[in-house]
Each structure stands twice: as structure tokens, then as C-alpha cells.
């Protein structure tokens, strides 16, 4: 895992000046990317680097997470809080022609001119422009030969900002300004989790703002979710199962990040719509389209995890976690039905079912329920410090759930199936229970 995380963020797939990831590399050294940046990739990779930071304690992963968030909020966030889908690979070159990567590449002379003589040599060496050109006679800033070494001196950080400011004066790549419910849901879930783990309240607030934008703009008056929104046309197209599955996960992660009970309410209403409109009563699992959508010859099912989690895999994780938070076993029952439908496929081809494997792990290991009752931010922080993929957290506002039954303020409770150990009233006791 560390090898992969280090390699992805050291080569040209990672934007070393502005943060964020391109879609993929086109060479076997992971130097030259296809420069298009997609929102769903930022969401998935943000979550991975946050988990890497929690599991290893390496600050370099927190750095990549922070810079990825900065990219999305700076360059993709739209007025009102929705997040645009992608930036193109191409931009306009000085000769007026569209060219791939034009926005991102530099020459050593350009770097020297922008950053100034006092740091020019250090900057050229840091971003490896002192080596042979790596892209059509020019250079993609990278740390390929210094894998995992991303710390910057104050002088290099100032140079990075100068280069970023200079780059922002260039013609930008084209922006796909569609706000997609699914991709925004993936982003909200990742950003809320990242904000909690890295103690960035501004990230949590941004995640909540995007979620509110979706609630206000991507639903019909009757509550039916829609898939896509643009400022010129508003929202249109009935949402797919993947859209609702992503939103259920987003709302539960927001509940854990904010301590606000209203996000549990939104998670439940969205899960209920998902199961009402998309469920296959005959064989289990979720159809891609709702029963109120266009009548197709065959209603297929989205099963395989790729760059984006499948609707069924993401729903299985989200429903298991929502069941633990709410105490509603109907969500767990539906999740288990998805696992029965797809578990055999995961055994045959596990690389195509990564998120489903996480759901299977949740099911077989069971979920640890953690409750922090009353105003005990210090105990909430203890939970957030740890990488706990099979745990859910309830704190802040109480809501209808057995998690809150007879929980006295001022303590934390670590539970399995709502049976709890002794209350922990200090941080060290809670850490010991979590271990």
C-alpha cells in the first residue's frame, strides 16, 4: 500500500504545483499522465491517502490529502457548493492550437524566471527539471526519483506558490461543469471523513455545504433524486442506483463528522427511496435504473467496482453502516442480500470488487459501534485518531437509535450489537478499549 501511495503521488499523475490527480499514467514509469482530472478520482484517492495517514502516521499522506482538497475546492467548486465533474486534458497553446498537457508543463528557464534567482537552482532540482525532458521536449514537475519525499523547505513552498500563480494566468483546460449526484456524493463522503481525521472543520463545513446544495438542487419536489445539474438548465434525468448509494454513504459520513442528527434522517430517507425504487424482489440486489424510469428490455445491475464503486457495492457498505447507526435491521438484511448475490463473483475476481470486499469484511467481522455522549470533543478526537474501517461513530445530537439507549453524558461507549463495555470517561481508557 505504501509503495503504491508513494508512487502515485511522486510521478506526473499527481499535480505537484496545484494538487489533485490526473486520471492515469500513459507510461510504465508513472511519469506522463493523461492530464484530465476527474472528480471521482479525487474522491477515491483522498479517502485512500487519509486512511494511509491514519494507518501509518506518515504526514506525507496528509499533505497529499490537503493539496487534493485544495485543488477541488479552488478549481472545481461551483457557486452554491456543487462540484464540477472534470477538467479536460487539453488547453490552448501559444500558437492557438489545442494541446494536451499545455497547462501543466514547464521548461527550466521558465521555472528560473518565475521563482527568482535565489531559489532557481533548488526549484529546478526539486521538481526534477535537471534531468532529460519527460514530455515532448518539456518537463512535467515530478518527484519520481525521490519517491515519497514531498516535504518542502519554506523557499520551495514559496516557489511552488509562484509557479502556481504563474500557471493560473495560462489558458485553463476546459471545465465540464456538470454537477453529478453520484460523484458529488463520493466527494462529500471522502471530504467529511478527511475533515474529521485531519481536524479540518473547514473541510467538514465544505462537505456539508455541497450536501446541502445537492438536497436543494438535485431533488424533485416529491423528493425523487435526480442525476445531473447545470446552472443553465437546472437538474434533469432520474438518478440511478449509484447516485442514491453514494448519497446514503455521504450522509452517514456527514453525521459522523458533524454530530448532527439531520444527516441520519437524510441517509434514511435516501436509503428508503433506493430500496423502494431499485430493489430486485426476485433475486436481490439493486437494478441500475428505478421502477419509475424508462422501461428497458432488460434492467441490468451495476456490480463491478472500477474507478468508481458499483452501485451494489457502495450500497452494501452504506446500508451496513446505516443499520449500525440507526438500529434498523432492514438495511442490514438488504445489504446481506447484495453480498449473497455478488460474493461469489468477488471470490473469482477480487480485483474487480474492492469495495464489495470491504462490505464483506464489515459483514463477517461485524461493526463496532462507538458512542460519545455529551460534550466530550476530546473523546471524539480519540476515535478520529485511529484507522477504524469497521466502526461507526455517534456523537453530538441524539437520534432514534438503540445506540443512544441509556447512554449517560460525559462518557464514551464501545459496543458490539449495541452491547457495550464499561463507559470510558478519559482518553486513555477509550484508546485501550479501541485497541
Amino acid at each position: 500500500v505504501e509503495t503504491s501511495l508513494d508512487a502515485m503521488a511522486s510521478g506526473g499523475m499527481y499535480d505537484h504545483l496545484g494538487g489533485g490527480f490526473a486520471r492515469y499514467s500513459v507510461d510504465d514509469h508513472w511519469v506522463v499522465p493523461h492530464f484530465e482530472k476527474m472528480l471521482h478520482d479525487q474522491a477515491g484517492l483522498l479517502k485512500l491517502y487519509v486512511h494511509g495517514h491514519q494507518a501509518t502516521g506518515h504526514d506525507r499522506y496528509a499533505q497529499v490529502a490537503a493539496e487534493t482538497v485544495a485543488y477541488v475546492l479552488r478549481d472545481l467548486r461551483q457557486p452554491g457548493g456543487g462540484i464540477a465533474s472534470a477538467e479536460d486534458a487539453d488547453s490552448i497553446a501559444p500558437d492557438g492550437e489545442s494541446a494536451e498537457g499545455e497547462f501543466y508543463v514547464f521548461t527550466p528557464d521558465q521555472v528560473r524566471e518565475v521563482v527568482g534567482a535565489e531559489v532557481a537552482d533548488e526549484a529546478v532540482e526539486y521538481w526534477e527539471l535537471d534531468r532529460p525532458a519527460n514530455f515532448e521536449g518539456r518537463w512535467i514537475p515530478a518527484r519520481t526519483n525521490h519517491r515519497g519525499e514531498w516535504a518542502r523547505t519554506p523557499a520551495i513552498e514559496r516557489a511552488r506558490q509562484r509557479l502556481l500563480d504563474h500557471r493560473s494566468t495560462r489558458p485553463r483546460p476546459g471545465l465540464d461543469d456538470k454537477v453529478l449526484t453520484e460523484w458529488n456524493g463520493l466527494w462529500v463522503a471522502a471530504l467529511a471523513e478527511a475533515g474529521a481525521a485531519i481536524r479540518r472543520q473547514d473541510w467538514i463545513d465544505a462537505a456539508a455545504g455541497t450536501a446541502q446544495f445537492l438536497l436543494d438542487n438535485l431533488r424533485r419536489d416529491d423528493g425523487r433524486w435526480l442525476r445531473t445539474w447545470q446552472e443553465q438548465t437546472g437538474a434533469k434525468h432520474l438518478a440511478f442506483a449509484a447516485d442514491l448509494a453514494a448519497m446514503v454513504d455521504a450522509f452517514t459520513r456527514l453525521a459522523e463528522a458533524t454530530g448532527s442528527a439531520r444527516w441520519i434522517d437524510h441517509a434514511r430517507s435516501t436509503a428508503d427511496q433506493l430500496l423502494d425504487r431499485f430493489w430486485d424482489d426476485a433475486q436481490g440486489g439493486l437494478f441500475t435504473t428505478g421502477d419509475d424510469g424508462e422501461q428497458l428490455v432488460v434492467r441490468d445491475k451495476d456490480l463491478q467496482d472500477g474507478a468508481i464503486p458499483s452501485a451494489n457495492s457502495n450500497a452494501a457498505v452504506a446500508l451496513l453502516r446505516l443499520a449500525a447507526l440507526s438500529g434498523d435491521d432492514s438495511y442490514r438484511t438488504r445489504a446481506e442480500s447484495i453480498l449473497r448475490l455478488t460474493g461469489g463473483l468477488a471470490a473469482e475476481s477480487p480485483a474487480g470488487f474492492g469495495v464489495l470486499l470491504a462490505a464483506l469484511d464489515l459483514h463477517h467481522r461485524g461493526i463496532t459501534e462507538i458512542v460519545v455522549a455529551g460534550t466530550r470533543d476530546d473523546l471524539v478526537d480519540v476515535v478520529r485518531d485511529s484507522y477504524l474501517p469497521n466502526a461507526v461513530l455517534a456523537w453530538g445530537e441524539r437520534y432514534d437509535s438503540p445506540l443512544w439507549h441509556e447512554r449517560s453524558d460525559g462518557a464514551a461507549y464501545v459496543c458490539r450489537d449495541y452491547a457495550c463495555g464499561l463507559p470510558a470517561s478519559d482518553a486513555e481508557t477509550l484508546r485501550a478499549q479501541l485497541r
Side-chain angles (χ1 to χ4, degrees):
V1 170
E2 290 186 51
T3 297
S4 298
L5 293 176
D6 288 348
M8 283 190 291
S10 294
M13 284 188 291
Y14 185 65
D15 182 352
H16 291 265
L17 300 183
F21 287 85
R23 292 192 72 180
Y24 51 82
S25 175
V26 300
D27 71 313
D28 58 4
H29 297 290
W30 293 12
V31 174
V32 180
H34 175 54
F35 290 90
E36 186 177 15
K37 287 179 168 180
M38 313 294 291
L39 175 60
H40 62 74
D41 288 330
Q42 315 313 317
L45 289 164
L46 171 60
K47 184 175 290 190
L48 287 180
Y49 280 91
V50 168
H51 291 170
H53 170 64
Q54 288 179 305
T56 68
H58 295 331
D59 289 339
R60 64 182 184 271
Y61 299 146
Q63 176 185 335
V64 172
E67 292 172 0
T68 300
V69 172
Y71 160 67
V72 172
L73 298 185
R74 181 186 65 238
D75 294 337
L76 296 184
R77 184 163 55 175
Q78 303 299 292
I83 311 295
S85 296
E87 284 193 298
D88 293 342
D90 294 0
S91 56
I92 304 301
D95 63 5
E97 297 295 322
S98 179
E100 182 172 350
E102 184 67 29
F103 182 72
Y104 296 99
V105 295
F106 284 84
T107 66
D109 287 345
Q110 287 174 326
V111 170
R112 292 177 186 279
E113 180 181 355
V114 171
V115 304
E118 71 278 4
V119 73
D121 290 342
E122 186 181 354
V124 166
E125 181 182 2
Y126 180 86
W127 284 294
E128 299 184 353
L129 277 71
D130 57 343
R131 299 169 184 267
N134 56 28
F135 183 73
E136 299 178 356
R138 288 176 292 176
W139 283 255
I140 302 164
R143 297 285 289 168
T144 307
N145 296 286
H146 300 82
R147 183 179 293 177
E149 298 174 14
W150 312 316
R152 304 187 188 107
T153 65
I156 286 294
E157 178 56 27
R158 288 193 297 271
R160 184 195 69 83
Q161 189 60 56
R162 289 172 185 168
L163 289 168
L164 181 61
D165 291 343
H166 170 80
R167 199 178 75 177
S168 68
T169 67
R170 297 174 174 178
R172 288 200 68 87
L175 178 69
D176 181 351
D177 64 357
K178 291 193 306 295
V179 176
L180 295 176
T181 301
E182 177 187 10
W183 296 8
N184 274 250
L186 296 172
W187 174 251
V188 168
L191 185 59
E193 189 173 353
I198 302 181
R199 308 290 197 279
R200 289 291 299 266
Q201 185 61 43
D202 56 331
W203 295 0
I204 296 172
D205 293 343
T210 296
Q212 191 60 54
F213 175 89
L214 299 171
L215 287 167
D216 293 341
N217 293 280
L218 271 299
R219 295 186 303 172
R220 294 190 315 207
D221 291 342
D222 64 357
R224 177 63 159 98
W225 280 94
L226 302 173
R227 177 160 176 82
T228 181
W229 178 94
Q230 284 180 294
E231 186 175 7
Q232 299 84 356
T233 60
K236 55 185 178 180
H237 305 310
L238 292 177
F240 298 140
D243 295 297
L244 276 71
M247 291 311 305
V248 175
D249 190 48
F251 289 140
T252 57
R253 307 285 181 180
L254 271 174
E256 292 173 303
T258 64
S260 175
R262 74 186 188 100
W263 299 117
I264 291 293
D265 294 338
H266 288 308
R268 297 197 64 166
S269 65
T270 303
D272 292 344
Q273 183 179 139
L274 175 67
L275 298 174
D276 179 54
R277 291 290 186 189
F278 296 87
W279 191 256
D280 180 358
D281 290 322
Q283 299 185 34
L286 296 163
F287 290 116
T288 298
T289 57
D291 60 7
D292 56 346
E294 180 182 355
Q295 297 303 303
L296 306 175
V297 176
V298 176
R299 290 176 74 191
D300 66 358
K301 292 176 181 176
D302 177 21
L303 300 177
Q304 189 166 354
D305 299 321
I308 306 176
S310 76
N312 279 277
S313 296
N314 215 20
V317 171
L319 291 171
L320 285 170
R321 299 183 82 259
L322 179 57
L325 287 165
S326 68
D328 189 334
D329 273 340
S330 68
Y331 299 135
R332 181 179 293 104
T333 299
R334 297 297 184 93
E336 291 169 350
S337 177
I338 293 172
L339 299 182
R340 283 192 294 272
L341 175 70
T342 56
L345 297 173
E348 294 173 6
S349 182
F353 296 89
V355 177
L356 183 72
L357 291 174
L360 284 162
D361 192 62
L362 276 176
H363 168 67
H364 286 293
R365 290 180 182 268
I367 295 178
T368 298
E369 306 117 4
I370 305 166
V371 182
V372 178
T375 306
R376 289 298 305 270
D377 292 346
D378 58 326
L379 299 182
V380 173
D381 286 344
V382 168
V383 179
R384 290 172 168 177
D385 281 338
S386 305
Y387 176 51
L388 302 170
N390 290 6
V392 295
L393 170 64
W395 66 283
E397 296 177 350
R398 295 176 181 244
Y399 49 86
D400 184 16
S401 168
L403 279 180
W404 289 106
H405 183 61
E406 295 184 350
R407 305 292 179 242
S408 300
D409 284 353
Y413 301 81
V414 179
C415 319
R416 292 296 294 267
D417 297 324
Y418 311 111
C420 304
L422 294 174
S425 57
D426 63 89
E428 193 51 48
T429 299
L430 179 56
R431 286 192 190 95
Q433 292 182 0
L434 293 177
R435 284 195 297 269

